[in-house]
PDB file of all heavy atoms in Angstrom:
ATOM      1  N   ALA T  19      33.595 102.683  17.995  1.00  0.00           N
ATOM      2  CA  ALA T  19      32.936 101.915  19.061  1.00  0.00           C
ATOM      3  C   ALA T  19      33.952 100.908  19.633  1.00  0.00           C
ATOM      4  O   ALA T  19      34.035  99.792  19.207  1.00  0.00           O
ATOM      5  CB  ALA T  19      31.711 101.196  18.532  1.00  0.00           C
ATOM      6  N   PRO T  22      33.828  96.112  24.531  1.00  0.00           N
ATOM      7  CA  PRO T  22      34.028  94.676  24.624  1.00  0.00           C
ATOM      8  C   PRO T  22      32.969  93.909  23.876  1.00  0.00           C
ATOM      9  O   PRO T  22      31.839  94.395  23.675  1.00  0.00           O
ATOM     10  CB  PRO T  22      33.971  94.368  26.129  1.00  0.00           C
ATOM     11  CG  PRO T  22      33.577  95.622  26.796  1.00  0.00           C
ATOM     12  CD  PRO T  22      33.565  96.734  25.809  1.00  0.00           C
ATOM     13  N   GLU T  23      33.323  92.696  23.472  1.00  0.00           N
ATOM     14  CA  GLU T  23      32.392  91.872  22.675  1.00  0.00           C
ATOM     15  C   GLU T  23      31.051  91.712  23.330  1.00  0.00           C
ATOM     16  O   GLU T  23      30.015  91.575  22.658  1.00  0.00           O
ATOM     17  CB  GLU T  23      33.068  90.494  22.426  1.00  0.00           C
ATOM     18  CG  GLU T  23      32.383  89.645  21.417  1.00  0.00           C
ATOM     19  CD  GLU T  23      32.361  90.250  20.009  1.00  0.00           C
ATOM     20  OE1 GLU T  23      33.271  90.960  19.617  1.00  0.00           O
ATOM     21  OE2 GLU T  23      31.377  89.983  19.313  1.00  0.00           O
ATOM     22  N   TYR T  26      28.704  94.149  22.016  1.00  0.00           N
ATOM     23  CA  TYR T  26      28.587  94.257  20.565  1.00  0.00           C
ATOM     24  C   TYR T  26      27.128  94.139  20.062  1.00  0.00           C
ATOM     25  O   TYR T  26      26.645  94.977  19.310  1.00  0.00           O
ATOM     26  CB  TYR T  26      29.515  93.281  19.859  1.00  0.00           C
ATOM     27  CG  TYR T  26      29.437  93.357  18.372  1.00  0.00           C
ATOM     28  CD1 TYR T  26      30.198  94.310  17.659  1.00  0.00           C
ATOM     29  CD2 TYR T  26      28.604  92.496  17.648  1.00  0.00           C
ATOM     30  CE1 TYR T  26      30.076  94.398  16.259  1.00  0.00           C
ATOM     31  CE2 TYR T  26      28.511  92.591  16.276  1.00  0.00           C
ATOM     32  CZ  TYR T  26      29.253  93.540  15.591  1.00  0.00           C
ATOM     33  OH  TYR T  26      29.139  93.649  14.219  1.00  0.00           O
ATOM     34  N   SER T 165      33.354 102.233  42.883  1.00  0.00           N
ATOM     35  CA  SER T 165      34.693 101.868  42.360  1.00  0.00           C
ATOM     36  C   SER T 165      35.458 103.108  41.985  1.00  0.00           C
ATOM     37  O   SER T 165      34.869 104.201  41.847  1.00  0.00           O
ATOM     38  CB  SER T 165      34.524 100.953  41.160  1.00  0.00           C
ATOM     39  OG  SER T 165      33.787 101.623  40.146  1.00  0.00           O
ATOM     40  N   LYS T 171      32.848 109.274  35.953  1.00  0.00           N
ATOM     41  CA  LYS T 171      33.405 108.310  35.070  1.00  0.00           C
ATOM     42  C   LYS T 171      33.153 106.873  35.626  1.00  0.00           C
ATOM     43  O   LYS T 171      32.962 105.946  34.863  1.00  0.00           O
ATOM     44  CB  LYS T 171      34.886 108.559  34.805  1.00  0.00           C
ATOM     45  CG  LYS T 171      35.880 107.992  35.787  1.00  0.00           C
ATOM     46  CD  LYS T 171      37.288 108.288  35.348  1.00  0.00           C
ATOM     47  CE  LYS T 171      38.315 108.037  36.487  1.00  0.00           C
ATOM     48  NZ  LYS T 171      38.562 106.619  36.757  1.00  0.00           N
ATOM     49  N   ASN T 175      31.170 103.662  34.127  1.00  0.00           N
ATOM     50  CA  ASN T 175      31.639 102.306  34.111  1.00  0.00           C
ATOM     51  C   ASN T 175      30.615 101.339  34.658  1.00  0.00           C
ATOM     52  O   ASN T 175      30.376 100.269  34.089  1.00  0.00           O
ATOM     53  CB  ASN T 175      32.948 102.181  34.952  1.00  0.00           C
ATOM     54  CG  ASN T 175      34.130 102.872  34.334  1.00  0.00           C
ATOM     55  OD1 ASN T 175      34.147 103.124  33.109  1.00  0.00           O
ATOM     56  ND2 ASN T 175      35.074 103.238  35.147  1.00  0.00           N
ATOM     57  N   ARG T 179      28.771  98.190  32.914  1.00  0.00           N
ATOM     58  CA  ARG T 179      28.801  96.844  33.464  1.00  0.00           C
ATOM     59  C   ARG T 179      27.380  96.288  33.619  1.00  0.00           C
ATOM     60  O   ARG T 179      27.140  95.114  33.362  1.00  0.00           O
ATOM     61  CB  ARG T 179      29.540  96.825  34.796  1.00  0.00           C
ATOM     62  CG  ARG T 179      31.018  97.061  34.682  1.00  0.00           C
ATOM     63  CD  ARG T 179      31.741  97.078  36.020  1.00  0.00           C
ATOM     64  NE  ARG T 179      33.124  97.502  35.818  1.00  0.00           N
ATOM     65  CZ  ARG T 179      33.690  98.536  36.432  1.00  0.00           C
ATOM     66  NH1 ARG T 179      33.037  99.282  37.294  1.00  0.00           N
ATOM     67  NH2 ARG T 179      34.960  98.826  36.144  1.00  0.00           N
ATOM     68  N   ASN T 183      25.760  92.922  31.963  1.00  0.00           N
ATOM     69  CA  ASN T 183      25.099  91.904  32.753  1.00  0.00           C
ATOM     70  C   ASN T 183      23.616  91.722  32.338  1.00  0.00           C
ATOM     71  O   ASN T 183      22.992  90.683  32.691  1.00  0.00           O
ATOM     72  CB  ASN T 183      25.118  92.243  34.245  1.00  0.00           C
ATOM     73  CG  ASN T 183      26.535  92.079  34.795  1.00  0.00           C
ATOM     74  OD1 ASN T 183      27.318  91.283  34.335  1.00  0.00           O
ATOM     75  ND2 ASN T 183      26.846  92.860  35.832  1.00  0.00           N
ATOM     76  N   LYS T 280      44.971 113.996  25.878  1.00  0.00           N
ATOM     77  CA  LYS T 280      45.668 113.406  24.740  1.00  0.00           C
ATOM     78  C   LYS T 280      44.723 112.343  24.157  1.00  0.00           C
ATOM     79  O   LYS T 280      43.857 111.835  24.853  1.00  0.00           O
ATOM     80  CB  LYS T 280      46.920 112.645  25.267  1.00  0.00           C
ATOM     81  CG  LYS T 280      48.214 113.382  24.950  1.00  0.00           C
ATOM     82  CD  LYS T 280      49.398 112.627  25.509  1.00  0.00           C
ATOM     83  CE  LYS T 280      49.515 111.191  24.982  1.00  0.00           C
ATOM     84  NZ  LYS T 280      50.576 110.427  25.570  1.00  0.00           N
ATOM     85  N   ILE T 281      44.939 111.993  22.903  1.00  0.00           N
ATOM     86  CA  ILE T 281      44.040 111.015  22.293  1.00  0.00           C
ATOM     87  C   ILE T 281      44.139 109.676  23.006  1.00  0.00           C
ATOM     88  O   ILE T 281      45.224 109.240  23.409  1.00  0.00           O
ATOM     89  CB  ILE T 281      44.297 110.874  20.773  1.00  0.00           C
ATOM     90  CG1 ILE T 281      43.189 110.058  20.107  1.00  0.00           C
ATOM     91  CG2 ILE T 281      45.654 110.259  20.472  1.00  0.00           C
ATOM     92  CD1 ILE T 281      43.174 110.175  18.616  1.00  0.00           C
ATOM     93  N   GLY T 282      42.972 109.082  23.255  1.00  0.00           N
ATOM     94  CA  GLY T 282      42.911 107.800  23.944  1.00  0.00           C
ATOM     95  C   GLY T 282      41.543 107.217  23.809  1.00  0.00           C
ATOM     96  O   GLY T 282      40.714 107.731  23.035  1.00  0.00           O
ATOM     97  N   VAL T 283      41.257 106.186  24.599  1.00  0.00           N
ATOM     98  CA  VAL T 283      39.927 105.547  24.521  1.00  0.00           C
ATOM     99  C   VAL T 283      39.312 105.578  25.903  1.00  0.00           C
ATOM    100  O   VAL T 283      39.891 105.117  26.907  1.00  0.00           O
ATOM    101  CB  VAL T 283      40.054 104.073  24.035  1.00  0.00           C
ATOM    102  CG1 VAL T 283      38.733 103.355  24.176  1.00  0.00           C
ATOM    103  CG2 VAL T 283      40.511 104.052  22.585  1.00  0.00           C
ATOM    104  N   GLN T 293      44.681 111.952  31.089  1.00  0.00           N
ATOM    105  CA  GLN T 293      45.235 110.670  31.512  1.00  0.00           C
ATOM    106  C   GLN T 293      46.704 110.865  31.896  1.00  0.00           C
ATOM    107  O   GLN T 293      47.320 111.872  31.602  1.00  0.00           O
ATOM    108  CB  GLN T 293      45.125 109.698  30.352  1.00  0.00           C
ATOM    109  CG  GLN T 293      45.737 110.223  29.034  1.00  0.00           C
ATOM    110  CD  GLN T 293      45.542 109.278  27.862  1.00  0.00           C
ATOM    111  OE1 GLN T 293      45.766 108.087  27.988  1.00  0.00           O
ATOM    112  NE2 GLN T 293      45.158 109.811  26.712  1.00  0.00           N
ATOM    113  N   ASP T 296      51.021 106.907  31.419  1.00  0.00           N
ATOM    114  CA  ASP T 296      50.865 105.488  31.298  1.00  0.00           C
ATOM    115  C   ASP T 296      49.476 105.055  30.794  1.00  0.00           C
ATOM    116  O   ASP T 296      49.158 103.876  30.688  1.00  0.00           O
ATOM    117  CB  ASP T 296      51.093 104.859  32.704  1.00  0.00           C
ATOM    118  CG  ASP T 296      51.521 103.414  32.626  1.00  0.00           C
ATOM    119  OD1 ASP T 296      52.358 103.090  31.738  1.00  0.00           O
ATOM    120  OD2 ASP T 296      51.029 102.618  33.424  1.00  0.00           O
ATOM    121  N   GLY T 297      48.608 106.064  30.505  1.00  0.00           N
ATOM    122  CA  GLY T 297      47.279 105.718  29.954  1.00  0.00           C
ATOM    123  C   GLY T 297      46.222 105.429  31.009  1.00  0.00           C
ATOM    124  O   GLY T 297      45.185 104.878  30.681  1.00  0.00           O
ATOM    125  N   GLN T 298      46.491 105.831  32.246  1.00  0.00           N
ATOM    126  CA  GLN T 298      45.436 105.693  33.272  1.00  0.00           C
ATOM    127  C   GLN T 298      44.619 106.997  33.257  1.00  0.00           C
ATOM    128  O   GLN T 298      45.207 108.097  33.249  1.00  0.00           O
ATOM    129  CB  GLN T 298      46.026 105.456  34.675  1.00  0.00           C
ATOM    130  CG  GLN T 298      47.037 104.296  34.732  1.00  0.00           C
ATOM    131  CD  GLN T 298      46.445 102.937  34.373  1.00  0.00           C
ATOM    132  OE1 GLN T 298      45.250 102.736  34.407  1.00  0.00           O
ATOM    133  NE2 GLN T 298      47.297 102.033  33.956  1.00  0.00           N
ATOM    134  N   ILE T 299      43.303 106.855  33.323  1.00  0.00           N
ATOM    135  CA  ILE T 299      42.441 108.048  33.214  1.00  0.00           C
ATOM    136  C   ILE T 299      42.447 108.797  34.537  1.00  0.00           C
ATOM    137  O   ILE T 299      42.302 108.186  35.604  1.00  0.00           O
ATOM    138  CB  ILE T 299      41.005 107.630  32.769  1.00  0.00           C
ATOM    139  CG1 ILE T 299      41.117 106.999  31.392  1.00  0.00           C
ATOM    140  CG2 ILE T 299      40.041 108.800  32.791  1.00  0.00           C
ATOM    141  CD1 ILE T 299      39.880 106.267  30.912  1.00  0.00           C
TER     142      ILE T 299
ATOM    143  N   PRO I  49      47.057  96.348  34.707  1.00  0.00           N
ATOM    144  CA  PRO I  49      46.014  97.104  35.395  1.00  0.00           C
ATOM    145  C   PRO I  49      45.592  98.384  34.686  1.00  0.00           C
ATOM    146  O   PRO I  49      46.414  99.042  33.994  1.00  0.00           O
ATOM    147  CB  PRO I  49      46.587  97.407  36.777  1.00  0.00           C
ATOM    148  CG  PRO I  49      48.018  97.102  36.716  1.00  0.00           C
ATOM    149  CD  PRO I  49      48.285  96.284  35.493  1.00  0.00           C
ATOM    150  N   PHE I  50      44.297  98.708  34.820  1.00  0.00           N
ATOM    151  CA  PHE I  50      43.733  99.897  34.168  1.00  0.00           C
ATOM    152  C   PHE I  50      42.794 100.585  35.148  1.00  0.00           C
ATOM    153  O   PHE I  50      42.139  99.930  35.910  1.00  0.00           O
ATOM    154  CB  PHE I  50      42.994  99.501  32.885  1.00  0.00           C
ATOM    155  CG  PHE I  50      42.412 100.698  32.114  1.00  0.00           C
ATOM    156  CD1 PHE I  50      43.158 101.804  31.855  1.00  0.00           C
ATOM    157  CD2 PHE I  50      41.121 100.599  31.627  1.00  0.00           C
ATOM    158  CE1 PHE I  50      42.641 102.858  31.125  1.00  0.00           C
ATOM    159  CE2 PHE I  50      40.585 101.646  30.894  1.00  0.00           C
ATOM    160  CZ  PHE I  50      41.334 102.811  30.652  1.00  0.00           C
ATOM    161  N   SER I  51      42.773 101.922  35.075  1.00  0.00           N
ATOM    162  CA  SER I  51      41.905 102.669  35.987  1.00  0.00           C
ATOM    163  C   SER I  51      40.422 102.451  35.792  1.00  0.00           C
ATOM    164  O   SER I  51      39.641 102.598  36.713  1.00  0.00           O
ATOM    165  CB  SER I  51      42.222 104.190  35.784  1.00  0.00           C
ATOM    166  OG  SER I  51      42.035 104.543  34.436  1.00  0.00           O
ATOM    167  N   ASP I  52      40.014 102.033  34.592  1.00  0.00           N
ATOM    168  CA  ASP I  52      38.603 101.922  34.276  1.00  0.00           C
ATOM    169  C   ASP I  52      38.268 100.631  33.558  1.00  0.00           C
ATOM    170  O   ASP I  52      37.859 100.635  32.401  1.00  0.00           O
ATOM    171  CB  ASP I  52      38.152 103.141  33.425  1.00  0.00           C
ATOM    172  CG  ASP I  52      38.283 104.444  34.192  1.00  0.00           C
ATOM    173  OD1 ASP I  52      39.436 104.954  34.308  1.00  0.00           O
ATOM    174  OD2 ASP I  52      37.280 104.922  34.664  1.00  0.00           O
ATOM    175  N   PRO I  53      38.443  99.503  34.269  1.00  0.00           N
ATOM    176  CA  PRO I  53      38.243  98.208  33.613  1.00  0.00           C
ATOM    177  C   PRO I  53      36.775  97.837  33.481  1.00  0.00           C
ATOM    178  O   PRO I  53      36.203  97.156  34.312  1.00  0.00           O
ATOM    179  CB  PRO I  53      38.972  97.214  34.566  1.00  0.00           C
ATOM    180  CG  PRO I  53      38.860  97.873  35.897  1.00  0.00           C
ATOM    181  CD  PRO I  53      38.775  99.372  35.707  1.00  0.00           C
ATOM    182  N   LEU I  54      36.150  98.266  32.377  1.00  0.00           N
ATOM    183  CA  LEU I  54      34.664  98.196  32.340  1.00  0.00           C
ATOM    184  C   LEU I  54      34.079  96.816  32.040  1.00  0.00           C
ATOM    185  O   LEU I  54      32.875  96.676  32.162  1.00  0.00           O
ATOM    186  CB  LEU I  54      34.089  99.289  31.448  1.00  0.00           C
ATOM    187  CG  LEU I  54      34.684  99.547  30.042  1.00  0.00           C
ATOM    188  CD1 LEU I  54      34.271  98.482  29.094  1.00  0.00           C
ATOM    189  CD2 LEU I  54      34.249 100.897  29.541  1.00  0.00           C
ATOM    190  N   ASP I  56      35.135  94.248  33.875  1.00  0.00           N
ATOM    191  CA  ASP I  56      35.480  93.480  35.068  1.00  0.00           C
ATOM    192  C   ASP I  56      34.577  93.719  36.243  1.00  0.00           C
ATOM    193  O   ASP I  56      34.114  94.867  36.477  1.00  0.00           O
ATOM    194  CB  ASP I  56      36.922  93.757  35.464  1.00  0.00           C
ATOM    195  CG  ASP I  56      37.908  93.072  34.535  1.00  0.00           C
ATOM    196  OD1 ASP I  56      37.817  91.849  34.409  1.00  0.00           O
ATOM    197  OD2 ASP I  56      38.723  93.771  33.895  1.00  0.00           O
ATOM    198  N   GLN I  61      38.391  94.599  39.520  1.00  0.00           N
ATOM    199  CA  GLN I  61      38.492  96.069  39.672  1.00  0.00           C
ATOM    200  C   GLN I  61      39.355  96.449  40.877  1.00  0.00           C
ATOM    201  O   GLN I  61      40.230  97.281  40.809  1.00  0.00           O
ATOM    202  CB  GLN I  61      37.106  96.676  39.941  1.00  0.00           C
ATOM    203  CG  GLN I  61      36.184  96.784  38.779  1.00  0.00           C
ATOM    204  CD  GLN I  61      34.798  97.207  39.271  1.00  0.00           C
ATOM    205  OE1 GLN I  61      34.661  98.045  40.107  1.00  0.00           O
ATOM    206  NE2 GLN I  61      33.787  96.575  38.693  1.00  0.00           N
ATOM    207  N   THR I  73      53.078 100.100  36.417  1.00  0.00           N
ATOM    208  CA  THR I  73      52.941 100.734  35.117  1.00  0.00           C
ATOM    209  C   THR I  73      53.308  99.689  34.033  1.00  0.00           C
ATOM    210  O   THR I  73      53.853  98.636  34.358  1.00  0.00           O
ATOM    211  CB  THR I  73      53.883 101.918  34.947  1.00  0.00           C
ATOM    212  OG1 THR I  73      55.261 101.419  34.953  1.00  0.00           O
ATOM    213  CG2 THR I  73      53.725 102.954  36.064  1.00  0.00           C
ATOM    214  N   ASN I  99      43.560 101.463  26.133  1.00  0.00           N
ATOM    215  CA  ASN I  99      44.192 102.793  26.309  1.00  0.00           C
ATOM    216  C   ASN I  99      45.626 102.745  26.757  1.00  0.00           C
ATOM    217  O   ASN I  99      46.486 103.436  26.164  1.00  0.00           O
ATOM    218  CB  ASN I  99      43.346 103.693  27.199  1.00  0.00           C
ATOM    219  CG  ASN I  99      43.725 105.149  27.017  1.00  0.00           C
ATOM    220  OD1 ASN I  99      43.806 105.661  25.897  1.00  0.00           O
ATOM    221  ND2 ASN I  99      44.079 105.843  28.126  1.00  0.00           N
ATOM    222  N   GLN I 103      48.817 104.193  24.576  1.00  0.00           N
ATOM    223  CA  GLN I 103      49.737 105.220  25.071  1.00  0.00           C
ATOM    224  C   GLN I 103      51.218 104.737  25.004  1.00  0.00           C
ATOM    225  O   GLN I 103      52.108 105.485  24.796  1.00  0.00           O
ATOM    226  CB  GLN I 103      49.428 105.670  26.487  1.00  0.00           C
ATOM    227  CG  GLN I 103      47.999 106.235  26.660  1.00  0.00           C
ATOM    228  CD  GLN I 103      47.619 107.242  25.590  1.00  0.00           C
ATOM    229  OE1 GLN I 103      48.425 108.077  25.172  1.00  0.00           O
ATOM    230  NE2 GLN I 103      46.368 107.155  25.108  1.00  0.00           N
ATOM    231  N   PRO I 124      40.121  93.454  25.569  1.00  0.00           N
ATOM    232  CA  PRO I 124      38.681  93.341  25.435  1.00  0.00           C
ATOM    233  C   PRO I 124      38.021  94.511  24.706  1.00  0.00           C
ATOM    234  O   PRO I 124      37.009  94.308  24.033  1.00  0.00           O
ATOM    235  CB  PRO I 124      38.159  93.263  26.887  1.00  0.00           C
ATOM    236  CG  PRO I 124      39.363  93.259  27.760  1.00  0.00           C
ATOM    237  CD  PRO I 124      40.586  93.416  26.942  1.00  0.00           C
ATOM    238  N   PRO I 127      37.908  96.273  19.298  1.00  0.00           N
ATOM    239  CA  PRO I 127      36.961  95.430  18.573  1.00  0.00           C
ATOM    240  C   PRO I 127      37.596  94.788  17.323  1.00  0.00           C
ATOM    241  O   PRO I 127      38.574  95.272  16.762  1.00  0.00           O
ATOM    242  CB  PRO I 127      35.861  96.381  18.189  1.00  0.00           C
ATOM    243  CG  PRO I 127      36.393  97.735  18.317  1.00  0.00           C
ATOM    244  CD  PRO I 127      37.565  97.695  19.220  1.00  0.00           C
ATOM    245  N   LEU I 149      37.099  87.516  22.184  1.00  0.00           N
ATOM    246  CA  LEU I 149      36.045  87.002  23.051  1.00  0.00           C
ATOM    247  C   LEU I 149      34.804  86.696  22.225  1.00  0.00           C
ATOM    248  O   LEU I 149      34.495  87.371  21.245  1.00  0.00           O
ATOM    249  CB  LEU I 149      35.691  88.043  24.125  1.00  0.00           C
ATOM    250  CG  LEU I 149      36.531  88.144  25.385  1.00  0.00           C
ATOM    251  CD1 LEU I 149      38.012  88.292  25.070  1.00  0.00           C
ATOM    252  CD2 LEU I 149      36.080  89.324  26.256  1.00  0.00           C
ATOM    253  N   ARG I 158      29.193  85.884  13.285  1.00  0.00           N
ATOM    254  CA  ARG I 158      30.331  86.612  13.881  1.00  0.00           C
ATOM    255  C   ARG I 158      31.367  85.660  14.529  1.00  0.00           C
ATOM    256  O   ARG I 158      32.519  85.864  14.430  1.00  0.00           O
ATOM    257  CB  ARG I 158      29.805  87.602  14.924  1.00  0.00           C
ATOM    258  CG  ARG I 158      30.820  88.614  15.398  1.00  0.00           C
ATOM    259  CD  ARG I 158      30.168  89.762  16.139  1.00  0.00           C
ATOM    260  NE  ARG I 158      31.185  90.555  16.780  1.00  0.00           N
ATOM    261  CZ  ARG I 158      31.874  91.533  16.207  1.00  0.00           C
ATOM    262  NH1 ARG I 158      31.663  91.814  14.931  1.00  0.00           N
ATOM    263  NH2 ARG I 158      32.784  92.194  16.856  1.00  0.00           N
ATOM    264  N   SER I 177      27.943  88.573  31.381  1.00  0.00           N
ATOM    265  CA  SER I 177      28.262  89.225  32.633  1.00  0.00           C
ATOM    266  C   SER I 177      29.681  89.703  32.612  1.00  0.00           C
ATOM    267  O   SER I 177      30.473  89.367  31.741  1.00  0.00           O
ATOM    268  CB  SER I 177      28.104  88.238  33.832  1.00  0.00           C
ATOM    269  OG  SER I 177      29.208  87.392  33.875  1.00  0.00           O
ATOM    270  N   VAL I 178      30.004  90.563  33.575  1.00  0.00           N
ATOM    271  CA  VAL I 178      31.382  90.958  33.799  1.00  0.00           C
ATOM    272  C   VAL I 178      32.086  89.834  34.541  1.00  0.00           C
ATOM    273  O   VAL I 178      31.454  88.853  34.922  1.00  0.00           O
ATOM    274  CB  VAL I 178      31.474  92.288  34.579  1.00  0.00           C
ATOM    275  CG1 VAL I 178      30.855  93.435  33.775  1.00  0.00           C
ATOM    276  CG2 VAL I 178      30.789  92.159  35.928  1.00  0.00           C
TER     277      VAL I 178
END
Side-chain angles (χ1 to χ4, degrees):
Chain T
E23 191 61 34
Y26 180 84
S165 59
K171 87 177 166 75
N175 291 337
R179 290 179 188 123
N183 290 331
K280 255 179 58 185
I281 190 165
V283 171
Q293 53 183 315
D296 204 42
Q298 309 298 340
I299 297 168
Chain I
F50 182 46
S51 55
D52 295 78
L54 45 76
D56 285 303
Q61 285 171 41
T73 66
N99 198 51
Q103 302 313 320
L149 275 53
R158 192 167 169 82
S177 78
V178 295

